[in-house]
């Protein structure tokens, strides 16, 4: 779990953990094939996988974000994914920008009960579709984009040394 996903649904986490434990994957997430809203991201992997990643990852993006090395199949990791019953991948309930904060504040003010589940948010957006417009112009994963740009410079420098 990452700190930019404050509305993570514990039911989603439970599904990921079950798949990881029952099917003996090295890594399970809900983002390999994205169907959950951005901001309901979760991943599970062992310390052993993390250690192998730390020992073998070289690119800045792989060292900063950790899981791209796993996801890019640079080693023989078994990857698993869970998907939602419909594609909600265009919905953004993560916390990266001011607009995201405004939306999350509005969502949390709508509900007394905790945790707020994905089903609650879907119903809220069905009743108040204007809420989704608050942050719809923000591009997904700006941080990763910056890291990938660093990879290009890293590879250029490496080529110059070789």
């Amino acid at each position: 779990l990452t700190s930019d996903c404050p509305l993570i649904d514990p039911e989603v986490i439970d599904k990921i953990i079950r798949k990881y434990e029952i099917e003996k994957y090295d890594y399970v997430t809900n983002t390999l094939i994205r169907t959950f809203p951005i901001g309901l991201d979760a991943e599970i992997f062992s310390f052993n996988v993390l250690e192998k990643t730390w020992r073998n990852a070289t690119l800045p993006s792989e060292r900063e974000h950790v899981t791209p090395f796993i996801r890019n199949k640079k080693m023989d990791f078994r990857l698993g994914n869970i998907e939602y019953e419909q594609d909600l991948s265009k919905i953004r309930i993560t916390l990266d920008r001011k607009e995201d904060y405004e939306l999350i504040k509005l969502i949390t003010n709508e509900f007394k009960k905790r945790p707020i589940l994905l089903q609650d948010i879907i119903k809220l957006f069905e009743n108040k579709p204007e809420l989704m417009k608050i942050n719809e112009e923000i591009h997904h994963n700006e941080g990763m984009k910056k890291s990938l740009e660093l990879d290009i410079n890293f590879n250029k420098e490496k080529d110059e040394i070789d």
Side-chain angles (χ1 to χ4, degrees), residues 9 45 71 83 100 106 116 123 132 144 151:
D9 184 331
F45 49 92
R71 298 163 65 102
E83 295 179 38
D100 297 329
L106 289 168
I116 300 170
K123 287 178 189 167
M132 288 189 292
M144 179 57 89
D151 288 354

Side-chain angles (χ1 to χ4, degrees), residues 43 60-68 141 143-145 147-148:
E43 304 166 297
S61 64
E62 296 170 342
R63 303 224 26 106
E64 178 183 355
H65 299 279
V66 182
T67 59
N141 223 338
M144 179 57 89
K145 183 180 175 189
S147 290
L148 292 173

Side-chain angles (χ1 to χ4, degrees), residues 2 5 9 12 17 33 61-62 65 70 74 81 84 89 96 101 110 124 133 147 154:
T2 57
C5 296
D9 184 331
V12 173
I17 291 170
I33 300 168
S61 64
E62 296 170 342
H65 299 279
I70 300 166
K74 293 193 172 179
N81 191 72
Y84 194 65
S89 62
D96 292 321
Y101 173 72
E110 286 286 329
L124 175 63
K133 296 191 182 302
S147 290
F154 175 83

Side-chain angles (χ1 to χ4, degrees), residues 24-60:
K24 306 294 184 208
Y25 282 98
D26 295 307
Y27 170 87
V28 178
T29 185
N30 60 348
T31 63
L32 289 175
I33 300 168
R34 184 176 287 281
T35 55
F36 284 88
I38 299 163
L40 262 72
D41 308 356
E43 304 166 297
I44 185 171
F45 49 92
S46 68
F47 182 79
N48 184 40
V49 168
L50 180 62
E51 189 172 39
K52 286 179 183 177
T53 299
W54 177 77
R55 290 187 191 284
N56 293 287
T58 56
L59 294 174

Side-chain angles (χ1 to χ4, degrees), residues 92 96-97 138-147:
R92 183 180 171 89
D96 292 321
R97 306 281 285 294
I138 300 172
H139 296 288
H140 177 60
N141 223 338
E142 294 169 338
M144 179 57 89
K145 183 180 175 189
K146 289 178 185 175
S147 290

Side-chain angles (χ1 to χ4, degrees), residues 72-113:
N72 291 336
K73 298 188 176 189
K74 293 193 172 179
M75 295 187 77
D76 195 24
F77 295 126
R78 284 194 64 231
L79 310 181
N81 191 72
I82 66 164
E83 295 179 38
Y84 194 65
E85 59 211 37
Q86 64 190 85
D87 184 1
L88 302 177
S89 62
K90 301 290 186 232
I91 296 174
R92 183 180 171 89
I93 50 176
T94 189
L95 182 55
D96 292 321
R97 306 281 285 294
K98 184 180 113 187
E99 297 88 345
D100 297 329
Y101 173 72
E102 293 302 322
L103 176 60
I104 289 170
K105 190 167 58 169
L106 289 168
I107 291 170
T108 56
N109 287 338
E110 286 286 329
F111 300 99
K112 299 272 188 248
K113 78 170 188 79

